[in-house]
Each structure stands twice: as C-alpha cells, then as structure tokens.
Amino acid sequence: MRGETAESWPADAVEVGKIVDAYGLKGWVKVAAHADAGHGGDALLSAKRWWLLRGQERNSAPALQAKTHSDSVVAHLGGVSERDMAHALRGTRVYISRSEFPALGADEFYWVDLLGLDVVNVAGVHLGKVADMIDNGAHSVLRIEYPASDKNGKPVTGKRLIPFVGVLVKAVDQLAKQIIVEWEADY
C-alpha cells in the first residue's frame, strides 16, 4: 500500500464501495459494493489498483485478488498481509479509476456516466439534468433537477423522476451529453 496525495489521485476516480470488515486471517477485506456484480460492481473485480480514502488520508493498493462472496466483494490488497491490518481499513471508501471499468454492451450504461447529462424530450423541451439515479428494484430511475420558482416567485430546484426504461428513453448520446425521453414537462 502506498500513500497518495490529491494530485496523484486519478481525475476519473469513482467511488464504488466501502470496506466494512476483515475477511479471513490473511489480510483480505470485505467490501460493500455500491453495485452488484453484473450491474457495475464488476469494476471492483477487474481493477488492478484500488484508491482508498479514509477521512483525509489517501492511499492506493494493487488488487492482488478479488471475488464476489454472497452480497459483497472480498479482496486481497497488496501490502495488507494480516487480519489486523485489514480490520484497520474498516470504513475506508474504495475508488476505481473510471478507465478501469469493464466495457459494456450496446445500450448499457454506468450510472456515473449518466450523471450531469441534459434530459430533453422528443419535442426538444429541456427537462433538466440528471442529478442522481435510483434503483427501485424493477428498473433504474433518473432523478432530474431543473430551475423552477415557488409560489412566491423565489427560485427553487424542481425535481422529476423518469423511469430509465426503453419505452421512455429514446436515446442516450454521451458525446452530446444528452438523454432524449418520451416525457412531457408537465408530467
């Protein structure tokens, strides 16, 4: 494991999970991944280096081995050779360089790539920007924010939820930073 600075941290680092405990006796860690394997969680399994943040302390470590175990990921990190060392990493947030994420198939997207995209309906009306994604169990949902006014005319942030399903999402153009949806502004 090596110490890092904000300057040495990758510009495309994405938080993918959190170390929640030690696993076994030989320095493995147990990670609660933000996404399940097959749904973006594969980044933890395939990344060669993990970037670790605990408070203001930044470190990185080569991922020597990683695998799914029940509802989490367990991994052996370089420089962590015993249970006490792994246990001391509890609460550490795990980041992966976006460039190390596995490639996706056609019409598949990582949530992190959708955040900040403009959402426009098929009539060309701007509906806002993707502020967050929600998983409701059946499908993903875009949480859109847009400038609005309250009943007194004061500026507020309006919010709308749009299911991220093929019947409503007509196109995702990452180069144009835009998602086109079949959705009216007054829904």
Side-chain angles (χ1 to χ4, degrees):
M1 192 145 41
R2 76 176 182 219
E4 300 288 346
T5 65
E7 293 76 29
S8 65
W9 200 262
D12 66 344
V14 177
E15 185 176 346
V16 293
K18 185 176 183 180
I19 297 174
V20 293
D21 209 349
Y23 177 78
L25 301 174
K26 297 184 178 181
W28 285 57
V29 293
K30 182 177 181 180
V31 179
H34 294 329
D36 295 332
H39 296 95
D42 295 335
L44 277 168
L45 302 176
S46 64
K48 303 290 185 235
R49 179 163 292 278
W50 288 13
W51 302 85
L52 308 170
L53 181 65
R54 183 176 175 103
Q56 298 300 316
E57 181 184 349
R58 295 174 186 260
N59 292 293
S60 71
L64 303 176
Q65 212 174 352
K67 61 185 178 181
T68 57
H69 179 71
S70 187
D71 62 346
S72 60
V73 171
V74 294
H76 185 210
L77 302 176
V80 182
S81 58
E82 57 186 50
R83 183 174 180 81
D84 288 342
M85 294 171 77
H87 198 264
L89 292 172
R90 283 186 314 162
T92 300
R93 295 174 11 208
V94 178
Y95 291 75
I96 302 295
S97 176
R98 173 62 183 88
S99 62
E100 287 200 70
F101 279 36
L104 295 174
D107 292 329
E108 291 183 316
F109 305 94
Y110 287 113
W111 283 8
V112 68
D113 296 334
L114 301 176
L115 299 177
L117 296 185
D118 288 312
V119 180
V120 178
N121 70 13
V122 292
V125 176
H126 186 264
L127 301 175
K129 287 187 179 286
V130 179
D132 196 11
M133 297 289 296
I134 301 166
D135 181 2
N136 72 4
H139 52 76
S140 300
V141 178
L142 300 165
R143 189 173 66 78
I144 312 299
E145 290 184 352
Y146 58 94
S149 301
D150 67 9
K151 62 183 178 180
N152 298 320
K154 292 183 181 178
V156 296
T157 300
K159 296 178 178 93
R160 58 174 54 98
L161 301 176
I162 301 175
F164 192 70
V165 294
V167 69
L168 299 174
V169 177
K170 299 305 177 188
V172 175
D173 186 343
Q174 290 180 303
L175 292 176
K177 298 184 186 253
Q178 180 173 280
I179 299 173
I180 299 170
V181 295
E182 182 75 43
W183 198 265
E184 296 301 321
D186 60 351
Y187 284 1

